Amino acid sequence: MTALGGLGPHDQEVLARLPGRRPRSRRSSPGALRSTAVAFASTIAFFGFLTWIAVNSPGWPLVQRSFFNGDLLVASLPDIAAAFWVNVQLFFVAETLILALALVIAVLRSTPGPVLFPVRLLATAYVDVFRALPGVLIIYILGFGIPGLNIDGVPTDPFFYAVIALTLIYSAYVSEVYRAGIDSVHPSQSAAARSLGLSQWQALRYVVLPQAVRRVIPPLLNDFIGLQKDTVLVSYIGVVEIFRQSQITEAAHFNFTPYLATAAVFLVMTIPLARLTDWLVSRDRRRAAAGAR
Amino acid sequence: MSGAPGPALRIEDVHKSFGRTPVLLGIDLTVAQHEVVCLIGASGSGKSTLLRCVNLLEPIDAGRIFVAGEEITAPGVDVNRIRRRIGIVFQAFNLFPHMSVLDNVTLAPRKVLRLAPAEAADRALALLERFGLADKRAEFPDRLSGGQQQRVAIVRALAMEPELLLLDEVTSALDPELVAEVLAVIRELARGGMTMLIATHEMGFARDIANRVCFLDAGRILEEGPPEQIFRTPRAERTQRFLQRVMEAGRL
């Protein structure tokens, strides 16, 4: 740093940015405040108007009774919360398996060399098939088909098949995310590692994968959010999770309020994860901007 | 390995094409133990490709390459074992951005030579100390200047104790004021007897440091000889033209 007169590259970066930033923010801040206020007010007015239309519609009293029953909401919450625990378990077990299986598939697809061609072909076929099929179909086929074979020792628990189906569906997507990350690491990194005598596997393990995984954390979280919601699909094969539980409660009371309770649970669970993802993305962008000199 | 017979490096009639583009058209070159050979020539003349072929980062189409008498281009040779003996430093540093300076230097000794982490760290610190980088051991590469990054890259290659060091235009990506510190490191290595094959655009440096200079043109070594001869009385007309252009650009 002696050549730079005691200033680190980072200091220079900061200095270089300051003059450009200040006037811009000074000029725009009163305008930005007014825009925010206008946007806020118009949003409230718009949704207020929609609410007014709904509340004054001829069918509103009926809808209010069947969707917004406060007593039933309170009464159904314990059952719904307990059923949601099944979704949480599904999510964590499947997610762990997905992260591992998808990584293996991504690595297999990224490994060059003629020896592994059949393996690459299989991995590619798997990804293509499982991304092409609707998830519900896979859940149906696995959840009803395999136990239907009546083979001794094959599990009959629908939870087991729910985990397998979700893992197979999501690993296909997540392996593509990993692969994009692996491809984004410049080949010169691998060349540098190989030039030091590291084997192909060591270069992947110590140099390429750590950089690849770090880069794809935001899109991985995006897929987690999708998985969180798709856990309700396994209700079709008889797993009593939150959606099936709300159907049961709905059927018992002829009232749709449990669905709203379920929706509220998902909002509370998913929005924080979405915010976290956005925050990570913007942090990465800031870092990349600071790193580009 | 020091008792191995023959020159440090012998390249015999090496050919290499990328697709239909021929890059090397029969290169013959020998580098003796402790010799420093500089490759000069225009961009695209094949200097970098030749170095990458010697390190087996690019497969060659024809010809043979020997390191200390052992043919490294023979089929079935363990490329990882060969690369351990040959260090290479790249124009763009290619440090591992997710690792500290110390981890960059110790990765290969730990994973390839299977040194204990403490021993690898001790040896790395001694090298970093020698090149004035000991206080940067915990920094990450993007916090260092270009000159410091390139010195770390050299130390990383040296940590494997190579018999032969290949330098691929190691100062081309640096700001002019940072070139000197990297060249000083290479001079120090030459004084220590390191065998080096250096592709460079720094003609003044080549003249100072090289025992021999080779002028590459369109995939062939057109002329080679001691630096005084190549730079003062170049024989081939293309060499004269190249040096004329370099001189006009103020680089000699």
Side-chain angles (χ1 to χ4, degrees), chain A residues 1 9-10 188-189 192 194-199 202 206-207 210-211 293, chain B residues 55 80 83 88 94-99 111-112 142-143 148 156 160:
Chain A
M1 246 147 256
H10 182 68
S188 65
Q189 284 289 307
R194 300 300 309 274
S195 80
L196 290 163
L198 270 73
S199 67
Q202 286 175 320
Y206 297 111
V207 174
Q211 298 183 55
R293 254 178 264 146
Chain B
N55 202 28
N80 298 326
R83 290 201 185 106
I88 186 167
N94 299 359
L95 293 176
F96 307 132
H98 60 300
M99 293 182 187
K111 302 302 174 192
V112 179
D142 64 359
R143 304 280 298 163
Q148 289 165 341
R156 182 175 69 176
M160 293 299 284

PDB file of all heavy atoms in Angstrom, chain A residues 1 9-10 188-189 192 194-199 202 206-207 210-211 293, chain B residues 55 80 83 88 94-99 111-112 142-143 148 156 160:
ATOM      1  N   MET A   1       0.795  -1.208   0.000  1.00  0.00           N
ATOM      2  CA  MET A   1       0.000   0.000   0.000  1.00  0.00           C
ATOM      3  C   MET A   1       0.837   1.271   0.000  1.00  0.00           C
ATOM      4  O   MET A   1       0.321   2.372  -0.055  1.00  0.00           O
ATOM      5  CB  MET A   1      -0.897   0.006   1.236  1.00  0.00           C
ATOM      6  CG  MET A   1      -2.340  -0.097   0.807  1.00  0.00           C
ATOM      7  SD  MET A   1      -3.424  -0.973   1.873  1.00  0.00           S
ATOM      8  CE  MET A   1      -3.690  -2.499   1.098  1.00  0.00           C
ATOM      9  N   PRO A   9      -7.008   0.198  -1.181  1.00  0.00           N
ATOM     10  CA  PRO A   9      -7.892   0.220  -2.341  1.00  0.00           C
ATOM     11  C   PRO A   9      -9.327   0.576  -1.930  1.00  0.00           C
ATOM     12  O   PRO A   9     -10.040   1.251  -2.654  1.00  0.00           O
ATOM     13  CB  PRO A   9      -7.820  -1.204  -2.881  1.00  0.00           C
ATOM     14  CG  PRO A   9      -6.770  -1.903  -2.120  1.00  0.00           C
ATOM     15  CD  PRO A   9      -6.326  -1.061  -0.983  1.00  0.00           C
ATOM     16  N   HIS A  10      -9.703   0.102  -0.752  1.00  0.00           N
ATOM     17  CA  HIS A  10     -11.066   0.351  -0.303  1.00  0.00           C
ATOM     18  C   HIS A  10     -11.289   1.846  -0.047  1.00  0.00           C
ATOM     19  O   HIS A  10     -12.302   2.417  -0.452  1.00  0.00           O
ATOM     20  CB  HIS A  10     -11.332  -0.443   0.966  1.00  0.00           C
ATOM     21  CG  HIS A  10     -12.741  -0.276   1.453  1.00  0.00           C
ATOM     22  ND1 HIS A  10     -13.826  -0.770   0.757  1.00  0.00           N
ATOM     23  CD2 HIS A  10     -13.241   0.362   2.520  1.00  0.00           C
ATOM     24  CE1 HIS A  10     -14.934  -0.457   1.401  1.00  0.00           C
ATOM     25  NE2 HIS A  10     -14.612   0.224   2.468  1.00  0.00           N
ATOM     26  N   SER A 188     -10.292 -19.958 -15.199  1.00  0.00           N
ATOM     27  CA  SER A 188      -8.925 -19.693 -14.737  1.00  0.00           C
ATOM     28  C   SER A 188      -8.738 -20.098 -13.278  1.00  0.00           C
ATOM     29  O   SER A 188      -7.619 -20.403 -12.852  1.00  0.00           O
ATOM     30  CB  SER A 188      -8.595 -18.213 -14.909  1.00  0.00           C
ATOM     31  OG  SER A 188      -9.417 -17.429 -14.077  1.00  0.00           O
ATOM     32  N   GLN A 189      -9.837 -20.108 -12.495  1.00  0.00           N
ATOM     33  CA  GLN A 189      -9.730 -20.549 -11.101  1.00  0.00           C
ATOM     34  C   GLN A 189      -9.380 -22.032 -11.049  1.00  0.00           C
ATOM     35  O   GLN A 189      -8.520 -22.457 -10.282  1.00  0.00           O
ATOM     36  CB  GLN A 189     -11.067 -20.310 -10.381  1.00  0.00           C
ATOM     37  CG  GLN A 189     -11.304 -18.861 -10.037  1.00  0.00           C
ATOM     38  CD  GLN A 189     -10.391 -18.403  -8.917  1.00  0.00           C
ATOM     39  OE1 GLN A 189     -10.329 -19.019  -7.857  1.00  0.00           O
ATOM     40  NE2 GLN A 189      -9.661 -17.333  -9.148  1.00  0.00           N
ATOM     41  N   ALA A 192      -5.790 -22.514 -12.201  1.00  0.00           N
ATOM     42  CA  ALA A 192      -4.821 -22.181 -11.153  1.00  0.00           C
ATOM     43  C   ALA A 192      -4.701 -23.329 -10.154  1.00  0.00           C
ATOM     44  O   ALA A 192      -3.606 -23.712  -9.742  1.00  0.00           O
ATOM     45  CB  ALA A 192      -5.233 -20.890 -10.442  1.00  0.00           C
ATOM     46  N   ARG A 194      -5.482 -26.559 -10.672  1.00  0.00           N
ATOM     47  CA  ARG A 194      -4.860 -27.720 -11.296  1.00  0.00           C
ATOM     48  C   ARG A 194      -3.356 -27.511 -11.465  1.00  0.00           C
ATOM     49  O   ARG A 194      -2.568 -28.441 -11.331  1.00  0.00           O
ATOM     50  CB  ARG A 194      -5.478 -28.010 -12.673  1.00  0.00           C
ATOM     51  CG  ARG A 194      -6.968 -28.300 -12.688  1.00  0.00           C
ATOM     52  CD  ARG A 194      -7.358 -29.499 -11.866  1.00  0.00           C
ATOM     53  NE  ARG A 194      -6.602 -30.714 -12.137  1.00  0.00           N
ATOM     54  CZ  ARG A 194      -6.887 -31.593 -13.093  1.00  0.00           C
ATOM     55  NH1 ARG A 194      -7.908 -31.379 -13.882  1.00  0.00           N
ATOM     56  NH2 ARG A 194      -6.166 -32.684 -13.242  1.00  0.00           N
ATOM     57  N   SER A 195      -2.945 -26.266 -11.774  1.00  0.00           N
ATOM     58  CA  SER A 195      -1.525 -25.997 -12.008  1.00  0.00           C
ATOM     59  C   SER A 195      -0.707 -26.222 -10.741  1.00  0.00           C
ATOM     60  O   SER A 195       0.499 -26.438 -10.802  1.00  0.00           O
ATOM     61  CB  SER A 195      -1.325 -24.573 -12.518  1.00  0.00           C
ATOM     62  OG  SER A 195      -1.362 -23.652 -11.450  1.00  0.00           O
ATOM     63  N   LEU A 196      -1.363 -26.163  -9.584  1.00  0.00           N
ATOM     64  CA  LEU A 196      -0.648 -26.410  -8.327  1.00  0.00           C
ATOM     65  C   LEU A 196      -0.584 -27.895  -7.994  1.00  0.00           C
ATOM     66  O   LEU A 196      -0.035 -28.281  -6.969  1.00  0.00           O
ATOM     67  CB  LEU A 196      -1.342 -25.663  -7.183  1.00  0.00           C
ATOM     68  CG  LEU A 196      -1.186 -24.144  -7.235  1.00  0.00           C
ATOM     69  CD1 LEU A 196      -2.224 -23.475  -6.336  1.00  0.00           C
ATOM     70  CD2 LEU A 196       0.212 -23.729  -6.815  1.00  0.00           C
ATOM     71  N   GLY A 197      -1.189 -28.714  -8.856  1.00  0.00           N
ATOM     72  CA  GLY A 197      -1.140 -30.154  -8.626  1.00  0.00           C
ATOM     73  C   GLY A 197      -2.398 -30.717  -7.994  1.00  0.00           C
ATOM     74  O   GLY A 197      -2.471 -31.910  -7.719  1.00  0.00           O
ATOM     75  N   LEU A 198      -3.420 -29.862  -7.750  1.00  0.00           N
ATOM     76  CA  LEU A 198      -4.668 -30.385  -7.210  1.00  0.00           C
ATOM     77  C   LEU A 198      -5.361 -31.225  -8.284  1.00  0.00           C
ATOM     78  O   LEU A 198      -5.340 -30.885  -9.463  1.00  0.00           O
ATOM     79  CB  LEU A 198      -5.598 -29.235  -6.782  1.00  0.00           C
ATOM     80  CG  LEU A 198      -5.467 -28.737  -5.342  1.00  0.00           C
ATOM     81  CD1 LEU A 198      -4.197 -27.938  -5.168  1.00  0.00           C
ATOM     82  CD2 LEU A 198      -6.668 -27.912  -4.918  1.00  0.00           C
ATOM     83  N   SER A 199      -5.985 -32.306  -7.859  1.00  0.00           N
ATOM     84  CA  SER A 199      -6.723 -33.138  -8.807  1.00  0.00           C
ATOM     85  C   SER A 199      -7.998 -32.412  -9.209  1.00  0.00           C
ATOM     86  O   SER A 199      -8.378 -31.412  -8.597  1.00  0.00           O
ATOM     87  CB  SER A 199      -7.077 -34.470  -8.156  1.00  0.00           C
ATOM     88  OG  SER A 199      -8.012 -34.252  -7.119  1.00  0.00           O
ATOM     89  N   GLN A 202     -10.253 -32.253  -6.282  1.00  0.00           N
ATOM     90  CA  GLN A 202      -9.801 -31.299  -5.263  1.00  0.00           C
ATOM     91  C   GLN A 202     -10.044 -29.863  -5.709  1.00  0.00           C
ATOM     92  O   GLN A 202     -10.437 -29.011  -4.903  1.00  0.00           O
ATOM     93  CB  GLN A 202      -8.312 -31.495  -4.971  1.00  0.00           C
ATOM     94  CG  GLN A 202      -8.017 -32.742  -4.145  1.00  0.00           C
ATOM     95  CD  GLN A 202      -6.525 -32.962  -3.987  1.00  0.00           C
ATOM     96  OE1 GLN A 202      -5.752 -32.764  -4.926  1.00  0.00           O
ATOM     97  NE2 GLN A 202      -6.108 -33.369  -2.800  1.00  0.00           N
ATOM     98  N   TYR A 206     -12.322 -27.593  -3.316  1.00  0.00           N
ATOM     99  CA  TYR A 206     -11.746 -26.524  -2.496  1.00  0.00           C
ATOM    100  C   TYR A 206     -11.788 -25.160  -3.167  1.00  0.00           C
ATOM    101  O   TYR A 206     -11.694 -24.139  -2.493  1.00  0.00           O
ATOM    102  CB  TYR A 206     -10.292 -26.855  -2.127  1.00  0.00           C
ATOM    103  CG  TYR A 206     -10.169 -28.096  -1.289  1.00  0.00           C
ATOM    104  CD1 TYR A 206      -9.602 -29.250  -1.798  1.00  0.00           C
ATOM    105  CD2 TYR A 206     -10.662 -28.120   0.011  1.00  0.00           C
ATOM    106  CE1 TYR A 206      -9.508 -30.405  -1.042  1.00  0.00           C
ATOM    107  CE2 TYR A 206     -10.587 -29.262   0.782  1.00  0.00           C
ATOM    108  CZ  TYR A 206     -10.013 -30.401   0.235  1.00  0.00           C
ATOM    109  OH  TYR A 206      -9.944 -31.540   0.992  1.00  0.00           O
ATOM    110  N   VAL A 207     -11.879 -25.129  -4.494  1.00  0.00           N
ATOM    111  CA  VAL A 207     -11.778 -23.840  -5.189  1.00  0.00           C
ATOM    112  C   VAL A 207     -13.089 -23.455  -5.877  1.00  0.00           C
ATOM    113  O   VAL A 207     -13.597 -22.350  -5.684  1.00  0.00           O
ATOM    114  CB  VAL A 207     -10.620 -23.859  -6.212  1.00  0.00           C
ATOM    115  CG1 VAL A 207     -10.604 -22.577  -7.035  1.00  0.00           C
ATOM    116  CG2 VAL A 207      -9.296 -24.040  -5.477  1.00  0.00           C
ATOM    117  N   PRO A 210     -16.865 -23.826  -3.343  1.00  0.00           N
ATOM    118  CA  PRO A 210     -17.096 -22.783  -2.326  1.00  0.00           C
ATOM    119  C   PRO A 210     -17.519 -21.449  -2.944  1.00  0.00           C
ATOM    120  O   PRO A 210     -18.395 -20.767  -2.412  1.00  0.00           O
ATOM    121  CB  PRO A 210     -15.746 -22.648  -1.628  1.00  0.00           C
ATOM    122  CG  PRO A 210     -15.046 -23.935  -1.870  1.00  0.00           C
ATOM    123  CD  PRO A 210     -15.517 -24.417  -3.210  1.00  0.00           C
ATOM    124  N   GLN A 211     -16.915 -21.106  -4.088  1.00  0.00           N
ATOM    125  CA  GLN A 211     -17.287 -19.851  -4.737  1.00  0.00           C
ATOM    126  C   GLN A 211     -18.662 -19.969  -5.389  1.00  0.00           C
ATOM    127  O   GLN A 211     -19.464 -19.034  -5.347  1.00  0.00           O
ATOM    128  CB  GLN A 211     -16.257 -19.483  -5.812  1.00  0.00           C
ATOM    129  CG  GLN A 211     -14.872 -19.261  -5.239  1.00  0.00           C
ATOM    130  CD  GLN A 211     -13.896 -18.818  -6.325  1.00  0.00           C
ATOM    131  OE1 GLN A 211     -14.128 -17.847  -7.020  1.00  0.00           O
ATOM    132  NE2 GLN A 211     -12.790 -19.534  -6.454  1.00  0.00           N
ATOM    133  N   ARG A 293     -12.925  -3.087  -9.623  1.00  0.00           N
ATOM    134  CA  ARG A 293     -12.062  -1.902  -9.619  1.00  0.00           C
ATOM    135  C   ARG A 293     -11.552  -1.631 -10.993  1.00  0.00           C
ATOM    136  O   ARG A 293     -11.404  -2.539 -11.781  1.00  0.00           O
ATOM    137  CB  ARG A 293     -10.884  -2.126  -8.676  1.00  0.00           C
ATOM    138  CG  ARG A 293     -11.051  -1.333  -7.403  1.00  0.00           C
ATOM    139  CD  ARG A 293      -9.888  -1.620  -6.494  1.00  0.00           C
ATOM    140  NE  ARG A 293     -10.251  -2.663  -5.549  1.00  0.00           N
ATOM    141  CZ  ARG A 293      -9.379  -3.565  -5.106  1.00  0.00           C
ATOM    142  NH1 ARG A 293      -8.161  -3.563  -5.546  1.00  0.00           N
ATOM    143  NH2 ARG A 293      -9.749  -4.454  -4.233  1.00  0.00           N
TER     144      ARG A 293
ATOM    145  N   ASN B  55       2.850 -26.794 -18.852  1.00  0.00           N
ATOM    146  CA  ASN B  55       2.218 -27.138 -17.578  1.00  0.00           C
ATOM    147  C   ASN B  55       1.065 -28.120 -17.756  1.00  0.00           C
ATOM    148  O   ASN B  55       0.317 -28.386 -16.830  1.00  0.00           O
ATOM    149  CB  ASN B  55       1.711 -25.868 -16.899  1.00  0.00           C
ATOM    150  CG  ASN B  55       1.554 -26.065 -15.421  1.00  0.00           C
ATOM    151  OD1 ASN B  55       2.245 -26.879 -14.822  1.00  0.00           O
ATOM    152  ND2 ASN B  55       0.634 -25.346 -14.825  1.00  0.00           N
ATOM    153  N   ASN B  80      -1.117 -34.732 -12.342  1.00  0.00           N
ATOM    154  CA  ASN B  80      -1.060 -34.032 -11.054  1.00  0.00           C
ATOM    155  C   ASN B  80       0.353 -34.083 -10.473  1.00  0.00           C
ATOM    156  O   ASN B  80       0.831 -33.116  -9.878  1.00  0.00           O
ATOM    157  CB  ASN B  80      -2.059 -34.637 -10.072  1.00  0.00           C
ATOM    158  CG  ASN B  80      -3.485 -34.502 -10.579  1.00  0.00           C
ATOM    159  OD1 ASN B  80      -3.817 -33.526 -11.241  1.00  0.00           O
ATOM    160  ND2 ASN B  80      -4.300 -35.489 -10.287  1.00  0.00           N
ATOM    161  N   ARG B  83       2.543 -31.618 -12.488  1.00  0.00           N
ATOM    162  CA  ARG B  83       2.270 -30.202 -12.206  1.00  0.00           C
ATOM    163  C   ARG B  83       2.847 -29.763 -10.877  1.00  0.00           C
ATOM    164  O   ARG B  83       3.137 -28.591 -10.671  1.00  0.00           O
ATOM    165  CB  ARG B  83       0.760 -29.952 -12.227  1.00  0.00           C
ATOM    166  CG  ARG B  83       0.171 -30.052 -13.616  1.00  0.00           C
ATOM    167  CD  ARG B  83      -1.152 -29.318 -13.660  1.00  0.00           C
ATOM    168  NE  ARG B  83      -1.806 -29.495 -14.942  1.00  0.00           N
ATOM    169  CZ  ARG B  83      -2.863 -30.273 -15.128  1.00  0.00           C
ATOM    170  NH1 ARG B  83      -3.382 -30.943 -14.113  1.00  0.00           N
ATOM    171  NH2 ARG B  83      -3.404 -30.372 -16.320  1.00  0.00           N
ATOM    172  N   ILE B  88       3.407 -22.315 -12.157  1.00  0.00           N
ATOM    173  CA  ILE B  88       3.071 -21.325 -13.184  1.00  0.00           C
ATOM    174  C   ILE B  88       2.399 -20.130 -12.515  1.00  0.00           C
ATOM    175  O   ILE B  88       1.641 -20.289 -11.558  1.00  0.00           O
ATOM    176  CB  ILE B  88       2.169 -21.917 -14.296  1.00  0.00           C
ATOM    177  CG1 ILE B  88       1.964 -20.894 -15.420  1.00  0.00           C
ATOM    178  CG2 ILE B  88       0.852 -22.401 -13.757  1.00  0.00           C
ATOM    179  CD1 ILE B  88       1.361 -21.475 -16.702  1.00  0.00           C
ATOM    180  N   ASN B  94      -5.056 -14.953 -10.739  1.00  0.00           N
ATOM    181  CA  ASN B  94      -5.875 -16.135 -10.448  1.00  0.00           C
ATOM    182  C   ASN B  94      -5.744 -16.610  -9.007  1.00  0.00           C
ATOM    183  O   ASN B  94      -5.721 -17.809  -8.741  1.00  0.00           O
ATOM    184  CB  ASN B  94      -5.537 -17.291 -11.396  1.00  0.00           C
ATOM    185  CG  ASN B  94      -5.798 -16.949 -12.844  1.00  0.00           C
ATOM    186  OD1 ASN B  94      -6.250 -15.844 -13.144  1.00  0.00           O
ATOM    187  ND2 ASN B  94      -5.515 -17.862 -13.733  1.00  0.00           N
ATOM    188  N   LEU B  95      -5.671 -15.668  -8.071  1.00  0.00           N
ATOM    189  CA  LEU B  95      -5.732 -16.058  -6.657  1.00  0.00           C
ATOM    190  C   LEU B  95      -7.148 -16.550  -6.361  1.00  0.00           C
ATOM    191  O   LEU B  95      -8.087 -16.211  -7.069  1.00  0.00           O
ATOM    192  CB  LEU B  95      -5.379 -14.876  -5.758  1.00  0.00           C
ATOM    193  CG  LEU B  95      -3.933 -14.406  -5.844  1.00  0.00           C
ATOM    194  CD1 LEU B  95      -3.722 -13.171  -4.981  1.00  0.00           C
ATOM    195  CD2 LEU B  95      -2.971 -15.504  -5.405  1.00  0.00           C
ATOM    196  N   PHE B  96      -7.281 -17.349  -5.285  1.00  0.00           N
ATOM    197  CA  PHE B  96      -8.598 -17.831  -4.900  1.00  0.00           C
ATOM    198  C   PHE B  96      -9.267 -16.758  -4.043  1.00  0.00           C
ATOM    199  O   PHE B  96      -8.821 -16.511  -2.915  1.00  0.00           O
ATOM    200  CB  PHE B  96      -8.477 -19.157  -4.154  1.00  0.00           C
ATOM    201  CG  PHE B  96      -7.667 -20.191  -4.916  1.00  0.00           C
ATOM    202  CD1 PHE B  96      -6.662 -20.907  -4.288  1.00  0.00           C
ATOM    203  CD2 PHE B  96      -7.917 -20.426  -6.264  1.00  0.00           C
ATOM    204  CE1 PHE B  96      -5.919 -21.850  -4.986  1.00  0.00           C
ATOM    205  CE2 PHE B  96      -7.169 -21.362  -6.967  1.00  0.00           C
ATOM    206  CZ  PHE B  96      -6.170 -22.072  -6.331  1.00  0.00           C
ATOM    207  N   PRO B  97     -10.325 -16.115  -4.537  1.00  0.00           N
ATOM    208  CA  PRO B  97     -10.854 -14.933  -3.843  1.00  0.00           C
ATOM    209  C   PRO B  97     -11.533 -15.253  -2.514  1.00  0.00           C
ATOM    210  O   PRO B  97     -11.703 -14.360  -1.695  1.00  0.00           O
ATOM    211  CB  PRO B  97     -11.877 -14.363  -4.848  1.00  0.00           C
ATOM    212  CG  PRO B  97     -12.254 -15.496  -5.710  1.00  0.00           C
ATOM    213  CD  PRO B  97     -11.050 -16.394  -5.789  1.00  0.00           C
ATOM    214  N   HIS B  98     -11.909 -16.513  -2.299  1.00  0.00           N
ATOM    215  CA  HIS B  98     -12.633 -16.856  -1.076  1.00  0.00           C
ATOM    216  C   HIS B  98     -11.695 -17.307   0.044  1.00  0.00           C
ATOM    217  O   HIS B  98     -12.156 -17.737   1.091  1.00  0.00           O
ATOM    218  CB  HIS B  98     -13.657 -17.950  -1.366  1.00  0.00           C
ATOM    219  CG  HIS B  98     -13.039 -19.221  -1.902  1.00  0.00           C
ATOM    220  ND1 HIS B  98     -12.318 -19.255  -3.074  1.00  0.00           N
ATOM    221  CD2 HIS B  98     -13.018 -20.474  -1.415  1.00  0.00           C
ATOM    222  CE1 HIS B  98     -11.904 -20.490  -3.288  1.00  0.00           C
ATOM    223  NE2 HIS B  98     -12.309 -21.238  -2.296  1.00  0.00           N
ATOM    224  N   MET B  99     -10.383 -17.195  -0.205  1.00  0.00           N
ATOM    225  CA  MET B  99      -9.425 -17.643   0.813  1.00  0.00           C
ATOM    226  C   MET B  99      -8.477 -16.504   1.179  1.00  0.00           C
ATOM    227  O   MET B  99      -8.160 -15.673   0.330  1.00  0.00           O
ATOM    228  CB  MET B  99      -8.557 -18.778   0.263  1.00  0.00           C
ATOM    229  CG  MET B  99      -9.295 -20.049  -0.004  1.00  0.00           C
ATOM    230  SD  MET B  99      -8.078 -21.270  -0.581  1.00  0.00           S
ATOM    231  CE  MET B  99      -9.202 -22.571  -1.035  1.00  0.00           C
ATOM    232  N   LYS B 111      -3.160 -30.069   0.673  1.00  0.00           N
ATOM    233  CA  LYS B 111      -4.004 -31.069   0.020  1.00  0.00           C
ATOM    234  C   LYS B 111      -3.224 -31.977  -0.926  1.00  0.00           C
ATOM    235  O   LYS B 111      -3.608 -33.119  -1.136  1.00  0.00           O
ATOM    236  CB  LYS B 111      -5.127 -30.377  -0.767  1.00  0.00           C
ATOM    237  CG  LYS B 111      -6.022 -29.482   0.083  1.00  0.00           C
ATOM    238  CD  LYS B 111      -6.662 -30.256   1.223  1.00  0.00           C
ATOM    239  CE  LYS B 111      -7.431 -29.326   2.145  1.00  0.00           C
ATOM    240  NZ  LYS B 111      -7.821 -29.985   3.401  1.00  0.00           N
ATOM    241  N   VAL B 112      -2.162 -31.457  -1.530  1.00  0.00           N
ATOM    242  CA  VAL B 112      -1.430 -32.262  -2.513  1.00  0.00           C
ATOM    243  C   VAL B 112      -0.229 -32.938  -1.852  1.00  0.00           C
ATOM    244  O   VAL B 112      -0.022 -34.135  -1.995  1.00  0.00           O
ATOM    245  CB  VAL B 112      -0.980 -31.388  -3.700  1.00  0.00           C
ATOM    246  CG1 VAL B 112      -0.206 -32.223  -4.704  1.00  0.00           C
ATOM    247  CG2 VAL B 112      -2.194 -30.756  -4.369  1.00  0.00           C
ATOM    248  N   ASP B 142      -8.853  -9.483  -2.639  1.00  0.00           N
ATOM    249  CA  ASP B 142      -9.394  -8.235  -3.189  1.00  0.00           C
ATOM    250  C   ASP B 142      -9.046  -7.018  -2.331  1.00  0.00           C
ATOM    251  O   ASP B 142      -9.390  -5.901  -2.692  1.00  0.00           O
ATOM    252  CB  ASP B 142     -10.904  -8.340  -3.440  1.00  0.00           C
ATOM    253  CG  ASP B 142     -11.694  -8.547  -2.165  1.00  0.00           C
ATOM    254  OD1 ASP B 142     -11.073  -8.628  -1.090  1.00  0.00           O
ATOM    255  OD2 ASP B 142     -12.937  -8.611  -2.254  1.00  0.00           O
ATOM    256  N   ARG B 143      -8.389  -7.230  -1.202  1.00  0.00           N
ATOM    257  CA  ARG B 143      -7.949  -6.110  -0.381  1.00  0.00           C
ATOM    258  C   ARG B 143      -6.506  -5.714  -0.704  1.00  0.00           C
ATOM    259  O   ARG B 143      -5.971  -4.785  -0.094  1.00  0.00           O
ATOM    260  CB  ARG B 143      -8.048  -6.449   1.111  1.00  0.00           C
ATOM    261  CG  ARG B 143      -9.424  -6.876   1.554  1.00  0.00           C
ATOM    262  CD  ARG B 143     -10.336  -5.705   1.757  1.00  0.00           C
ATOM    263  NE  ARG B 143      -9.838  -4.813   2.803  1.00  0.00           N
ATOM    264  CZ  ARG B 143     -10.257  -3.562   2.970  1.00  0.00           C
ATOM    265  NH1 ARG B 143     -11.135  -3.066   2.137  1.00  0.00           N
ATOM    266  NH2 ARG B 143      -9.779  -2.824   3.944  1.00  0.00           N
ATOM    267  N   GLN B 148       0.790  -6.641  -5.079  1.00  0.00           N
ATOM    268  CA  GLN B 148       0.791  -7.572  -3.943  1.00  0.00           C
ATOM    269  C   GLN B 148       0.133  -8.888  -4.324  1.00  0.00           C
ATOM    270  O   GLN B 148       0.621  -9.959  -3.958  1.00  0.00           O
ATOM    271  CB  GLN B 148       0.061  -6.938  -2.758  1.00  0.00           C
ATOM    272  CG  GLN B 148       0.845  -5.793  -2.127  1.00  0.00           C
ATOM    273  CD  GLN B 148      -0.014  -4.948  -1.206  1.00  0.00           C
ATOM    274  OE1 GLN B 148      -1.233  -4.969  -1.277  1.00  0.00           O
ATOM    275  NE2 GLN B 148       0.631  -4.195  -0.343  1.00  0.00           N
ATOM    276  N   ARG B 156       2.595 -18.494  -3.898  1.00  0.00           N
ATOM    277  CA  ARG B 156       1.756 -19.686  -3.934  1.00  0.00           C
ATOM    278  C   ARG B 156       2.390 -20.766  -4.806  1.00  0.00           C
ATOM    279  O   ARG B 156       2.389 -21.955  -4.459  1.00  0.00           O
ATOM    280  CB  ARG B 156       0.370 -19.317  -4.478  1.00  0.00           C
ATOM    281  CG  ARG B 156      -0.600 -20.465  -4.511  1.00  0.00           C
ATOM    282  CD  ARG B 156      -1.968 -20.021  -4.942  1.00  0.00           C
ATOM    283  NE  ARG B 156      -2.011 -19.631  -6.348  1.00  0.00           N
ATOM    284  CZ  ARG B 156      -3.118 -19.270  -6.995  1.00  0.00           C
ATOM    285  NH1 ARG B 156      -4.269 -19.244  -6.347  1.00  0.00           N
ATOM    286  NH2 ARG B 156      -3.080 -18.922  -8.269  1.00  0.00           N
ATOM    287  N   MET B 160       5.092 -24.900  -3.524  1.00  0.00           N
ATOM    288  CA  MET B 160       5.173 -26.303  -3.941  1.00  0.00           C
ATOM    289  C   MET B 160       6.616 -26.701  -4.269  1.00  0.00           C
ATOM    290  O   MET B 160       6.861 -27.813  -4.727  1.00  0.00           O
ATOM    291  CB  MET B 160       4.287 -26.544  -5.160  1.00  0.00           C
ATOM    292  CG  MET B 160       2.797 -26.411  -4.871  1.00  0.00           C
ATOM    293  SD  MET B 160       2.223 -27.589  -3.645  1.00  0.00           S
ATOM    294  CE  MET B 160       2.163 -29.087  -4.637  1.00  0.00           C
TER     295      MET B 160
END
